[in-house]
Amino acid sequence: MSENYKVPTMAEMAGKGETPEVLFWVGCAGSFDERYKAVTQAFVKILNKVGVSFAVLGPEEACTGDPARRAGNEFLFQMQAVANIQVMNGYEIKKVVTACPHCFNTIKNEYPALGGNYEVIHHSQFLQQLINEGKVALKGGGEFKGKKITFHDSCYLGRANNVYEAPREVIKALDVELVEMKRCKTKGLCCGAGGAQMFKEAEPGKKEINIERTEEALATGANVIAVGCPFCLTMMTDGIKNKERETDVKVYDLAEMIAKDMGI
Amino acid sequence: MSFLPQLAFVLILGVAGYILSKRIKFLRRNIFLGKAETRNDHTEDRWKTMALVAFGQQKMFKRIIPALLHLLIYVGFVVINLEVLEFILDGIIGTHRLFAPFLGGVYTASMNMFEFLAVAVLFSCVVFLTRRYVTKVERFQKPEMKGWPALDATLILVVEIILMMAVLTMNATDQILAQRGADHYLALGPLFFSGLIRPLFEGMSIEALHFIERFAWWFHIIGILAFAVYVTYSKHLHIFLAFPNTWYSNLKPKGEMVNMPEVTNEVNMMLGIPTETPANPPAEIGRFGAKDVNDLSWINVMNAYSCTECGRCTSECPANLTGKKLSPRKIMMDVRDRAEEVGKSIDAGGPGLEDGKSLLGDYITKEELNACTSCNACVEACPINIDPLSIILQMRRYVAMEESGTPAQWNAMFQNMETSFSPWKFSPSDRFNWAEKVKEEEM
């Protein structure tokens, strides 16, 4: 009889006197966003299948503070950050993986100044490592076989942290045709959600940024728009709905694509 | 009588030098209106960045056509200025083509190279004018380019064209005079490019040729000195400032925002975490964030003076592309214009920073600041590593922490984060609910 998937928390692990190899930082979108929860679940399933020793903070996790900081509220950012660092340092966490480039950037680059020093990697890098090490057995014949896929670079992964190749390597491992948008990598166009824009209406203008980006993605003729960020996922999905292309164009996170290929 | 031209020359040189040194002091003071910041780490990387990005023009080559044209002007500027050394020595000593007898054939070869570069610069300037006025490249047509910025750009291109024509005219007439055996004129080897325009002058008298040759010589050298002074009033400062500007580049990951240690102390106290009291508490507590140029770092202000208004930042800004008011180029121009205004006021014995105006409000509006997605496209696009985002985020800090002036939806987000530790209004106890579904599934 096979076992169920497990999602251990740090508290449970500590109770048993165990330390996981890596903390999976879920993030607010990963915890609460109806659509994006599927990404969290897919990633956790992959971790289970591969047998990675991981744990989550569960209810002990709080927002990294990224949107507050970018909106100018440094106090609020630091309140969140210092509290998170106390929890993480309490558990003696060494390594963190997260699917959210905003959390990734904040914990990796901004927590050290506040006393939080961890090795932080984005799930695209983590997945690439697992694929390279042969730990993820890709079937390659699934839903994505031979399909045209375009990858939308997230600003906080790409320009902010120079991660351009890991997500592309993950996609290429799926036996698909990776097509690039006109503006990609260092020139990638923002989805419109960064810098706390996710949490307010856009300023007056001629067009929504996500529509501009969606048009560019559609121009590639791709059937799938792959993303590596919860906000990009929302913005691109909204853009596809706006263009009434939900039936023939899908927006997926990298973890979902890998999980689908693994048949989980 | 014969020493009169020398005297005039030395006088002109002295006046230009005096104005230049005053302007440099003015600019330096304005840049240091900004707050002190030490950025001397990783010196090896800094020299490397400067060599690649400023000297090697690495980032220009993201757009190949303007990069090549710009390279011609850049090389022309650097190399032709070697000839200016001879001009200056000739002017002071009263000689003509001082180096020619020493260099012989090398001198002729150098002249041919200078002439080639003069033609290349001329060509590039004509294409650049065409891009501005005929094909109307979009980034040169934005609202912030109206008026002085457009005139400034045009003046520079036109002056460069005229200066290069003066070089060619001077060489052409000079060689006709030498051929006719006029006093002081030396026959060089064949000069290709000025040779092409020689027929225009062949029929003229020695007196006329002499007048044209001298006029072109004086026009060229006075033109160059005037240009050097003009540059300090112009966006063209980038020809010098690009070097320190790239040396002081931000070498950290672009996504990292600078920490505010003064906030950390308060946060630690609120959370009951023992704080290390700084040994030397700051003499005066500044504002949180930036309202005016003196709240920014001096590097931000130097960035502003280095900006040549090419608009690559604005042409890649997602907010600007979709019709929002934000233009990263305008942010840089505003910082520079405000620093100029404050500097002039101080020099005139005026109120300086206390003139009742500020960068925020009088130059940059909240609407512009609020439109930024912090995507770093502008930072990436800048050929000399200017960082408009750093200024935008510092100003947002002022708006949020000193004015509580952030948009209502952001205030609501702040409230959610304070009460439920998430930007959305969900109960913190529900944070782990997503796991229920997975845990029920068989592996």
Side-chain angles (χ1 to χ4, degrees):
Chain A
M1 202 189 99
S2 67
E3 287 180 69
N4 280 11
Y5 288 104
K6 291 194 178 67
V7 191
T9 61
M10 288 303 303
E12 287 163 12
M13 285 257 197
K16 287 189 269 179
E18 291 170 23
T19 354
E21 220 174 88
V22 59
L23 168 74
F24 170 33
W25 183 274
V26 179
C28 300
S31 306
F32 295 120
D33 184 280
E34 271 314 313
R35 164 71 185 86
Y36 193 74
K37 274 194 249 180
V39 176
T40 311
Q41 289 155 352
F43 190 59
V44 154
K45 285 183 185 177
I46 298 170
L47 294 176
N48 269 274
K49 277 279 181 197
V50 175
V52 174
S53 149
F54 79 100
V56 297
L57 283 170
E60 286 188 281
E61 192 186 281
C63 176
T64 60
D66 157 84
R69 186 171 235 195
R70 264 101 201 135
N73 194 334
E74 182 74 6
F75 278 100
L76 186 52
F77 161 73
Q78 292 203 14
M79 290 291 282
Q80 302 287 310
V82 170
N84 279 324
I85 290 166
Q86 276 195 305
V87 172
M88 287 201 275
N89 287 355
Y91 288 122
E92 293 181 3
I93 282 160
K94 302 275 181 294
K95 188 173 175 181
V96 180
V97 62
T98 179
C100 173
H102 297 266
C103 299
F104 166 68
N105 177 68
T106 305
I107 302 174
K108 176 176 172 283
N109 297 324
E110 299 180 355
Y111 278 18
L114 299 166
N117 294 286
Y118 322 100
E119 181 196 345
V120 189
I121 62 169
H122 185 246
H123 80 326
S124 62
Q125 298 168 308
F126 198 73
L127 289 170
Q128 188 199 6
Q129 278 172 23
L130 293 177
I131 293 167
N132 287 352
E133 290 164 8
K135 287 185 182 158
V136 170
L138 291 173
K139 296 196 183 90
E143 190 184 329
F144 304 112
K145 189 181 166 61
K147 279 204 171 154
K148 259 193 189 176
I149 297 186
T150 190
F151 177 69
H152 163 76
D153 286 283
S154 314
C155 308
Y156 276 79
L157 196 58
R159 277 186 295 268
N161 288 292
N162 291 318
V163 180
Y164 298 108
E165 289 313 315
R168 288 179 168 78
E169 291 302 316
V170 170
I171 294 168
K172 283 182 199 157
L174 288 169
D175 191 17
V176 297
E177 186 192 345
L178 177 65
V179 286
E180 293 291 355
M181 286 184 248
K182 208 174 137 223
R183 287 172 282 201
C184 63
K185 299 183 186 173
T186 57
K187 285 196 162 199
L189 182 75
C190 175
C191 71
Q197 297 296 342
M198 185 71 192
F199 306 101
K200 74 168 183 55
E201 292 301 318
E203 300 307 303
K206 290 185 303 222
K207 197 177 190 179
E208 294 292 339
I209 296 172
N210 67 324
I211 302 299
E212 171 85 11
R213 187 53 164 171
T214 303
E215 285 169 359
E216 198 172 357
L218 289 174
T220 63
N223 321 94
V224 174
I225 302 169
V227 296
C229 170
F231 299 156
C232 297
L233 184 86
T234 303
M235 296 308 259
M236 297 309 282
T237 308
D238 287 352
I240 292 296
K241 275 186 201 147
N242 180 283
K243 294 278 162 191
E244 297 180 348
R245 296 287 297 273
E246 325 75 304
T247 47
D248 62 324
V249 180
K250 303 285 175 210
V251 186
Y252 288 124
D253 181 89
L254 299 166
E256 290 180 297
M257 295 172 66
I258 296 296
K260 271 181 197 288
D261 192 87
M262 291 167 78
I264 54 176
Chain B
M1 280 299 281
S2 66
F3 60 87
L4 262 184
Q6 279 163 267
L7 196 70
F9 184 82
V10 172
L11 212 70
I12 290 168
L13 205 60
V15 170
Y18 174 73
I19 301 175
L20 257 181
S21 71
K22 271 199 77 170
R23 277 300 294 177
I24 290 167
K25 271 187 210 144
F26 176 77
L27 294 172
R28 198 187 132 80
R29 196 268 326 275
N30 288 358
I31 287 171
F32 287 115
L33 286 172
K35 283 197 287 196
E37 180 184 352
T38 313
R39 214 184 248 185
N40 298 328
D41 56 324
H42 300 93
T43 40
E44 203 177 308
D45 291 342
R46 297 193 173 281
W47 288 111
K48 213 183 278 174
T49 306
M50 188 175 91
L52 280 173
V53 178
F55 190 73
Q57 318 233 317
Q58 188 188 40
K59 288 177 88 183
M60 282 296 289
F61 278 86
K62 288 183 174 185
R63 298 190 189 194
I64 191 76
I65 293 170
L68 289 172
L69 294 166
H70 181 268
L71 184 71
L72 290 176
I73 298 184
Y74 168 66
V75 174
F77 174 79
V78 173
V79 175
I80 292 174
N81 274 340
L82 293 175
E83 198 194 355
V84 172
L85 182 68
E86 190 192 34
F87 268 69
I88 289 176
L89 291 174
D90 276 344
I92 295 171
I93 308 169
T95 47
H96 185 70
R97 295 203 186 269
L98 178 66
F99 297 160
F102 302 104
L103 296 173
V106 175
Y107 189 88
T108 303
S110 314
M111 278 304 135
N112 270 306
M113 189 178 65
F114 294 156
E115 287 194 353
F116 164 72
L117 286 169
V119 171
V121 170
L122 220 155
F123 169 75
S124 298
C125 289
V126 170
V127 178
F128 281 157
L129 280 174
T130 312
R131 284 163 61 84
R132 277 175 190 269
Y133 290 102
V134 182
T135 57
K136 292 188 188 262
V137 172
E138 206 192 333
R139 61 193 156 98
F140 301 130
Q141 318 299 326
K142 299 274 175 184
E144 68 266 23
M145 297 310 285
K146 302 274 176 287
W148 167 245
L151 178 64
D152 187 15
T154 310
L155 275 175
I156 291 160
L157 292 171
V158 170
V159 169
E160 283 183 64
I161 289 173
I162 296 174
L163 285 176
M164 293 308 116
M165 283 170 34
V167 171
L168 295 171
T169 305
M170 185 187 75
N171 282 355
T173 48
D174 176 274
Q175 285 309 293
I176 300 173
L177 285 164
Q179 200 184 22
R180 295 195 195 166
D183 271 355
H184 309 303
Y185 290 96
L186 286 172
L188 306 170
L191 299 179
F192 180 74
F193 291 100
S194 62
L196 295 176
I197 57 165
R198 269 178 74 160
L200 289 174
F201 306 103
E202 295 278 13
M204 293 183 182
S205 68
I206 290 216
E207 290 70 31
L209 286 170
H210 185 72
F211 177 78
I212 293 173
E213 191 277 333
R214 281 293 89 190
F215 183 83
W217 189 92
W218 282 94
F219 183 84
H220 186 70
I221 188 68
I222 293 174
I224 283 178
L225 293 173
F227 192 71
V229 171
Y230 176 78
V231 160
T232 66
Y233 290 91
S234 150
K235 66 168 192 138
H236 239 49
L237 266 175
H238 82 288
I239 59 180
F240 301 113
L241 285 179
F243 293 88
N245 198 74
T246 46
W247 199 88
Y248 286 104
S249 293
N250 174 24
L251 298 178
K252 293 186 174 155
K254 288 195 191 75
E256 179 180 337
M257 270 178 79
V258 179
N259 195 47
M260 293 178 71
E262 62 270 40
V263 171
T264 312
N265 287 332
E266 290 194 35
V267 167
N268 282 344
M269 279 193 293
M270 280 170 80
L271 293 173
I273 299 167
T275 48
E276 301 157 28
T277 334
N280 303 306
E284 52 174 314
I285 308 265
R287 292 173 182 135
F288 289 127
K291 180 191 186 190
D292 213 338
V293 280
N294 62 321
D295 301 319
L296 297 168
S297 152
W298 71 274
I299 297 174
N300 296 134
V301 187
M302 177 174 63
N303 275 186
Y305 272 109
S306 308
C307 174
T308 195
E309 302 168 7
C310 73
R312 281 166 169 74
C313 52
T314 294
S315 74
E316 309 227 347
C317 170
N320 193 278
L321 279 168
T322 54
K324 278 82 173 175
K325 256 186 87 185
L326 174 64
S327 162
R329 169 173 56 191
K330 179 179 171 292
I331 300 287
M332 302 319 298
M333 293 165 73
D334 287 339
V335 170
R336 180 198 60 204
D337 293 349
R338 173 63 181 157
E340 284 280 308
E341 180 179 58
V342 172
K344 278 182 197 154
S345 168
I346 293 171
D347 282 353
L353 286 157
E354 311 303 325
D355 59 355
K357 290 163 98 182
S358 64
L359 186 59
L360 178 67
D362 294 294
Y363 286 82
I364 299 170
T365 61
K366 285 181 200 165
E367 185 180 331
E368 292 165 78
L369 298 175
N370 290 341
C372 175
T373 68
S374 73
C375 76
N376 267 304
C378 55
V379 182
E380 180 71 39
C382 180
I384 56 167
N385 290 352
I386 291 171
D387 188 348
L389 178 57
S390 152
I391 296 168
I392 293 169
L393 292 174
Q394 289 177 72
M395 294 183 77
R396 276 191 183 175
R397 279 175 166 169
Y398 175 82
V399 173
M401 290 191 283
E402 298 277 2
E403 285 194 336
S404 304
T406 40
Q409 285 174 304
W410 275 354
N411 284 332
M413 181 258 288
F414 293 158
Q415 240 169 35
N416 293 337
M417 210 181 280
E418 274 164 29
T419 52
S420 36
F421 314 111
S422 156
W424 295 288
K425 205 179 173 76
F426 290 104
S427 165
S429 58
D430 292 339
R431 188 175 268 273
F432 196 36
N433 290 357
W434 61 267
E436 299 308 319
K437 186 170 159 273
V438 200
K439 286 191 204 167
E440 282 163 15
E441 277 182 56
E442 267 185 24
M443 250 175 98

